[in-house]
Amino acid sequence: YSAVYSVESHALNIEVLFFSSIHSGSRSSKTFKPKKNIPEGSHQYELLKHAEATLGSGNLRMAVMLPEGEDLNEWVAVNTVDFFNQINMLYGTITDFCTEESCPVMSAGPKYEYHWADGTNIKKPIKCSAPKYIDYLMTWVQDQLDDETLFPSKIGVPFPKNFMSVAKTILKRLFRVYAHIYHQHFDPVIQLQEEAHLNTSFKHFIFFVQEFNLIDRRELAPLQELIEKLTSKDR
């Protein structure tokens, strides 16, 4: 991770630029899956704009906090959609380097290997290449985000009782894409000058899941050292 920490001084400025580039669609040609849009004019769209604005406040820990008077489920939903879009874009930039040949298993370093199961189409975990695993994963996340019974976009439609459990599973699995990129593809990330985007996106992600205790610490183990480095200055 030698180059991972070199961008801290201007991370927040880049975070805001990063947000803007995603929401304007200027980087959409590099996304791995189609971008998930939050309907303009909806309350969730207003929440997304609030999140975007507070990222420029100079304090990422403050930026992830639940806005006063807002519903926790809705805040988690909006941010989960946004992290899907961010990771979608980041992985899209390195797909040429993540192939069946280069990544025959989905791993995050030598100690961590992930097998895919979604509980419905694939019930028993299967060993597969990283690009296949990430394709399964991102398609599965898309399906959850598009399900109006899980992620209602209309005002007044309640979130299901199991919403937080579903969101936690989505975020846990999205973390694995970050972990794979950092462990297996950080050199091309540097070559593409994407490390600042990756670091600030991941730092935002970690602050968010820490704020609401959304991912078990054991799941974060593949990047624990990096997490300590990225967050030590903001305690």
Side-chain angles (χ1 to χ4, degrees):
Y1 308 117
S2 59
V4 171
Y5 320 122
S6 63
V7 296
E8 280 295 292
S9 60
H10 58 292
L12 281 166
N13 289 333
I14 291 168
E15 180 76 47
V16 176
L17 289 171
F18 181 56
F19 239 83
S20 299
S21 69
I22 292 169
H23 297 148
S24 68
S26 62
R27 308 177 69 89
S28 60
S29 62
K30 289 184 176 179
T31 54
F32 178 57
K33 294 285 183 183
K35 183 173 176 283
K36 171 67 178 175
N37 290 310
I38 291 174
E40 283 194 48
S42 67
H43 183 60
Q44 290 185 15
Y45 187 79
E46 295 307 312
L47 275 180
L48 183 65
K49 288 297 176 189
H50 170 85
E52 189 173 339
T54 54
L55 281 169
S57 68
N59 187 328
L60 265 177
R61 287 239 183 251
M62 291 286 289
V64 300
M65 289 180 181
L66 179 67
E68 191 174 350
E70 294 296 346
D71 176 63
L72 177 60
N73 284 344
E74 199 156 37
W75 184 238
V76 170
V78 165
N79 281 276
T80 299
V81 170
D82 194 65
F83 287 125
F84 168 77
N85 286 334
Q86 291 189 38
I87 295 164
N88 192 11
M89 191 212 79
L90 285 162
Y91 182 69
T93 65
I94 57 97
T95 49
D96 288 348
F97 304 94
C98 187
T99 65
E100 300 280 332
E101 293 72 36
S102 69
C103 303
V105 295
M106 175 61 179
S107 63
K111 293 182 183 177
Y112 302 96
E113 183 177 312
Y114 301 111
H115 295 178
W116 178 254
D118 58 19
T120 51
N121 296 322
I122 300 174
K123 294 183 179 179
K124 188 177 178 181
I126 60 169
K127 186 173 182 173
C128 55
S129 68
K132 190 68 178 170
Y133 183 100
I134 293 170
D135 187 39
Y136 279 134
L137 188 161
M138 299 298 267
T139 300
W140 175 82
V141 173
Q142 270 185 315
D143 290 344
Q144 309 308 301
L145 300 182
D146 288 339
D147 186 341
E148 281 285 326
T149 65
L150 287 176
F151 280 77
S153 59
K154 295 180 177 66
I155 292 175
V157 177
F159 283 83
K161 289 181 180 177
N162 68 331
F163 170 75
M164 203 57 75
S165 173
V166 172
K168 286 179 177 181
T169 302
I170 290 171
L171 292 165
K172 175 182 74 174
R173 290 176 172 178
L174 288 176
F175 167 82
R176 295 171 182 176
V177 185
Y178 280 120
H180 180 72
I181 293 171
Y182 271 114
H183 276 283
Q184 309 302 134
H185 301 297
F186 198 64
D187 284 345
V189 166
I190 293 170
Q191 291 165 24
L192 293 164
Q193 298 184 312
E194 291 282 347
E195 68 267 32
H197 289 157
L198 176 61
N199 290 340
T200 50
S201 174
F202 181 63
K203 186 173 178 179
H204 181 203
F205 178 89
I206 287 300
F207 279 4
F208 189 82
V209 299
Q210 286 178 341
E211 175 70 13
F212 302 106
N213 195 27
L214 296 170
I215 301 181
D216 189 284
R217 184 180 169 87
R218 289 171 300 178
E219 287 285 340
L220 301 175
L223 293 178
Q224 194 56 50
E225 184 185 343
L226 172 61
I227 291 167
E228 292 291 328
K229 288 276 189 182
L230 288 177
T231 61
S232 61
K233 296 177 186 176
D234 295 87
R235 291 198 173 116

